[in-house]
């Protein structure tokens, strides 16, 4: 094994050690396209949406890194953004029993480079095979949950290389979601949290 291969292997092990697989159903934040931008919702796609007032540190970025305006409006967050390119929205919330949540949502699959700490990215632009990236390093998810606007729900299991592949048999909105728990405790804004979860979604539309 070369020195470079050894270093890559160590980085992958270190990245994996920071996360513990977490497959139970949990609320997530996702983006839906709308005229003039996108709308973000919190909860489960198949059930009632939650009030977004509990979210903090809301930030939305375009593909070029430019920040765009957001507006919290009851059960949704409105994002005003031009059409074209991928869009990201991040937020935080403190849940029951002092669980610290980091929500990371992305709309679009044209970019193959991750920006958020936890992000699902296609292995090729607009492709249907995805890898999970944690702080710049590819890691294997225990599973990836899929919801669609047509009520089609699936659970994807990773291949040997850690990627997941999704078929898109019909037009509509597809939402991929994965949640991971950080091993150990984290001090955030002066408070220590022993349960910290990162949830990432990737949503995209398949046209007729």
């Amino acid at each position: 094994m070369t020195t470079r291969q050894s270093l890559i292997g160590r980085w992958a092990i270190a990245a994996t050690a920071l996360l513990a697989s977490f497959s139970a159903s949990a609320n997530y934040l996702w983006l839906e396209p709308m005229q003039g931008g996108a709308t973000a919702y919190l909860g489960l796609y198949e059930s009632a949406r939650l009030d977004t007032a509990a979210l903090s540190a809301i930030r939305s970025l375009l593909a070029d890194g430019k920040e765009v305006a957001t507006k919290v409006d009851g059960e949704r967050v409105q994002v005003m953004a031009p059409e074209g390119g991928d869009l990201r929205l991040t937020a935080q919330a403190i849940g029951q029993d002092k669980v610290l949540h980091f929500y990371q949502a992305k709309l679009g699959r044209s970019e193959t480079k991750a920006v958020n700490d936890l992000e699902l990215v296609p292995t090729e632009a607009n492709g249907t095979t995805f890898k999970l990236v944690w702080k710049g390093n590819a890691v294997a998810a225990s599973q990836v949950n899929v919801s669609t606007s047509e009520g089609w729900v699936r659970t994807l299991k990773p291949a040997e290389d850690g990627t997941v592949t999704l078929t898109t048999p019909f037009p509509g909105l597809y939402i991929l979601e994965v949640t991971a728990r950080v091993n150990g405790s984290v001090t955030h804004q002066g408070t220590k949290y022993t349960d910290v979860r990162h949830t990432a979604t990737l949503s995209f539309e398949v046209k007729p």
Side-chain angles (χ1 to χ4, degrees):
M1 178 182 293
T2 66
T3 301
R4 182 175 182 273
Q5 289 174 325
S6 176
L7 286 173
I8 292 174
R10 291 174 189 172
W11 289 337
I13 292 171
T16 305
L18 291 173
L19 294 176
S21 61
F22 189 75
S23 58
S25 296
N27 293 323
Y28 51 84
L29 185 72
W30 77 94
L31 285 161
E32 289 188 17
M34 70 171 192
Q35 187 174 6
T39 303
Y41 295 99
L42 177 66
L44 300 176
Y45 188 80
E46 300 82 9
S47 61
R49 281 81 193 271
L50 303 178
D51 192 336
T52 56
L55 296 176
S56 63
I58 299 173
R59 190 167 180 245
S60 185
L61 295 174
L62 298 176
D64 61 4
K66 181 181 178 181
E67 190 164 354
V68 293
T70 60
K71 178 184 177 182
V72 178
D73 183 13
E75 66 175 19
R76 62 184 180 176
V77 178
Q78 294 179 319
V79 185
M80 309 309 296
E83 293 184 6
D86 294 343
L87 177 66
R88 291 177 176 83
L89 180 72
T90 59
Q92 302 167 15
I94 300 173
Q96 296 179 347
D97 300 324
K98 292 186 67 176
V99 177
L100 177 60
H101 295 273
F102 290 95
Y103 295 111
Q104 294 148 105
K106 181 184 175 186
L107 175 63
R109 51 178 173 152
S110 61
E111 291 182 66
T112 59
K113 180 180 179 180
V115 174
N116 294 330
D117 283 349
L118 186 68
E119 188 169 314
L120 284 161
V121 295
T123 56
E124 61 180 19
N126 300 311
T128 56
T129 296
F130 305 89
K131 62 182 178 180
L132 181 64
V133 178
W134 167 249
K135 294 191 174 181
N137 294 286
V139 296
S142 59
Q143 67 180 50
V144 175
N145 303 310
V146 182
S147 299
T148 70
S149 57
E150 301 300 309
W152 187 75
V153 177
R154 291 291 186 274
T155 298
L156 305 179
K157 295 295 185 179
E160 289 186 3
D161 62 358
T163 63
V164 294
T165 299
L166 170 69
T167 59
T168 55
F170 50 82
L173 180 69
Y174 288 75
I175 303 171
L176 283 67
E177 176 267 328
V178 62
T179 297
R181 180 183 287 141
V182 176
N183 287 323
S185 61
V186 171
T187 299
H188 178 68
Q189 296 181 346
T191 301
K192 183 178 180 180
Y193 295 91
T194 57
D195 193 345
V196 181
R197 302 176 194 179
H198 285 256
T199 300
T201 60
L202 170 63
S203 52
F204 58 88
E205 280 190 311
V206 173
K207 301 295 185 179

